[in-house]
Amino acid sequence: MKVILKEDVKSLGKKGEIVEVSDGYARNFILKRNKGVEANAKNLNDLKLKKANDDKVAKEQYDAAKELGKKIEAGKVEMSIKTGEGGKAFGSISSKEIAAEVKTQMDLEIDKKKIVLKESIKALGTFKVPVKLHSKVTAELTVNVTEEA
């Protein structure tokens, strides 16, 4: 019997796959526990429509991430940090602070978890900070750190 899986089933397949199983396994395990449905014409058509919708949604998210990436790369964020003798910085600038400044200065909403900082910024100067917006889209944000007056 052919079955469309509703969720991942260990050693059988992943969600959305069409698999061939014995009639007893399908009736007593997969259908009974609602882990899949029989692969008839209606269910196959529903699966096809769902995959088309998922592809459309994924494309829209990718396009939105590319657009946001262009806005981020075009902009620049100015930040200041307290410094002492010889230009040594007190404290550091974290991804949370960068996200807050992007919101105030560029009026863009970026999750702090998407800002990829290997370690906090602890020096003056201009830094290129990668922002991972999508699995295929990473933008470079320019952060200019100056001395606080």
Side-chain angles (χ1 to χ4, degrees):
M1 174 185 275
K2 286 195 177 204
V3 178
I4 301 171
L5 297 177
K6 285 184 173 179
E7 58 185 66
D8 293 355
V9 178
K10 194 171 184 177
S11 75
L12 189 61
K14 299 219 179 273
K15 178 181 178 180
E17 286 184 0
I18 301 169
V19 292
E20 181 77 39
V21 295
S22 68
D23 291 352
Y25 186 64
R27 273 194 310 274
N28 297 323
F29 180 72
I30 295 177
L31 298 177
K32 191 174 189 180
R33 295 191 180 167
N34 206 20
K35 292 184 179 280
V37 292
E38 188 178 344
N40 57 24
K42 180 195 176 300
N43 291 336
L44 287 170
N45 190 38
D46 289 348
L47 176 68
K48 183 176 139 189
L49 292 172
K50 186 178 180 331
K51 282 189 177 181
N53 186 42
D54 290 347
D55 290 344
K56 181 182 170 200
V57 168
K59 173 124 176 62
E60 287 173 356
Q61 288 175 341
Y62 175 69
D63 291 342
K66 276 182 25 179
E67 194 65 37
L68 183 59
K70 287 179 185 174
K71 289 179 184 175
I72 288 172
E73 288 186 348
K76 183 176 177 181
V77 176
E78 299 282 337
M79 299 184 80
S80 60
I81 190 170
K82 284 186 180 179
T83 55
E85 295 276 329
K88 180 154 173 43
F90 294 126
S92 62
I93 296 175
S94 66
S95 58
K96 181 180 178 183
E97 293 166 320
I98 293 172
E101 285 298 318
V102 167
K103 181 159 177 52
T104 57
Q105 292 181 23
M106 297 172 68
D107 201 32
L108 296 174
E109 193 74 40
I110 297 177
D111 187 11
K112 68 178 182 179
K113 295 175 187 142
K114 294 183 186 254
I115 298 173
V116 184
L117 272 179
K118 289 185 177 93
E119 55 186 54
S120 300
I121 298 173
K122 298 178 183 177
L124 301 177
T126 303
F127 298 91
K128 294 282 188 184
V129 179
V131 181
K132 191 163 178 75
L133 301 170
H134 187 271
S135 59
K136 298 175 186 170
V137 179
T138 302
E140 291 274 318
L141 174 65
T142 305
V143 179
N144 190 21
V145 182
T146 57
E147 189 173 342
E148 201 170 274

